[in-house]
Amino acid sequence: MNGSDLKQGLVVVDIQNDYFPRGNLELVGVEQAAENAQKLLQKFRDKQSPIFHIQHISKQPGATFFLPDTEGARIHESVAPQQEETVIVKHFPNSFRETDLLEYLKDSKVEEVVICGAMSHMCIDATSRAAFDFGLQCTVIEDACATRDLEHQGKIVEAAEVHAAFMAALAAVYAKVISINEFEPVRL
């Protein structure tokens, strides 16, 4: 089997209200990323392929976003799960850590995960690397991901630079990194 013959599953990571305007941690370009994630979701729904929504709920003391039982922690309406789609709650950047994601993927016979969501430099990176380490093929839809400006040693690193650096790092070994327009789901 080559990579294009593998059964695909979609993993939509942390597209939650706090990342949108008026949320507690607005991301740069989040609305466009969510629009592309919505297109990706529709492609998977049309093929009746497995879809997994990841929802981060913060449990760390002092957390400022994705707080339990808040509107900000809810999955954004643009990518709201349908009744038959799996929602997995996580508490760490890596969507596999202390969750049942790997078991769900195995039960669905998924061999390639298609990943989108937020934040590029945190949960998308951690989840993609973990999936690779578990032996899964990975595709990251780069324009269905978003991040934010970061600061390091007094220097502001703009979101576009953060995103590009992390997509380049993932593309080097861990994932095929492509745009929504380049992606076509496997026809099995």
Side-chain angles (χ1 to χ4, degrees):
M1 252 188 199
N2 66 41
S4 64
D5 297 328
L6 300 176
K7 182 172 182 184
Q8 294 173 324
L10 177 61
V11 179
V12 181
V13 182
D14 300 352
I15 301 182
Q16 295 168 242
N17 291 334
D18 269 339
Y19 282 155
F20 285 78
R22 294 175 298 286
N24 289 338
L25 188 66
E26 184 179 346
L27 302 183
V28 174
V30 70
E31 290 168 319
Q32 182 62 52
E35 184 178 311
N36 288 334
Q38 185 179 51
K39 291 175 188 174
L40 188 60
L41 256 174
Q42 194 57 55
K43 289 182 180 199
F44 274 79
R45 287 172 177 159
D46 290 347
K47 297 280 182 215
Q48 297 180 338
S49 295
I51 297 169
F52 307 92
H53 297 265
I54 309 298
Q55 181 183 28
H56 193 106
I57 301 296
S58 296
K59 288 193 160 190
Q60 307 89 293
T64 59
F65 62 100
F66 295 162
L67 301 175
D69 304 315
T70 64
E71 185 63 30
R74 286 205 176 100
I75 294 173
H76 192 264
E77 65 183 0
S78 64
V79 294
Q82 293 183 351
Q83 188 170 1
E84 69 279 3
E85 296 169 359
T86 303
V87 177
I88 298 169
V89 174
K90 71 175 177 66
H91 307 294
F92 300 96
N94 174 354
S95 298
F96 292 91
R97 183 175 172 185
E98 297 180 22
T99 73
D100 295 329
L101 178 57
L102 185 59
E103 289 75 20
Y104 278 112
L105 293 169
K106 286 180 179 179
D107 289 347
S108 299
K109 301 190 179 359
V110 169
E111 300 162 291
E112 178 186 1
V113 289
V114 177
I115 300 169
C116 68
M119 292 185 285
S120 307
H121 73 281
M122 187 64 68
C123 299
I124 298 304
D125 183 64
T127 298
S128 299
R129 290 170 187 256
F132 175 87
D133 287 346
F134 283 124
L136 296 162
Q137 296 291 313
C138 299
T139 297
V140 174
I141 307 303
E142 64 182 334
D143 54 355
C145 296
T147 193
R148 63 187 180 94
D149 294 350
L150 296 178
E151 184 272 331
H152 181 69
Q153 296 183 349
K155 180 182 184 221
I156 299 298
V157 183
E158 292 187 17
E161 298 292 321
V162 172
H163 181 76
F166 276 83
M167 293 300 111
L170 288 174
V173 175
Y174 294 99
K176 178 170 63 171
V177 178
I178 60 175
S179 73
I180 185 67
N181 293 331
E182 296 173 283
F183 178 77
E184 280 303 321
V186 170
R187 300 180 192 275
L188 293 179

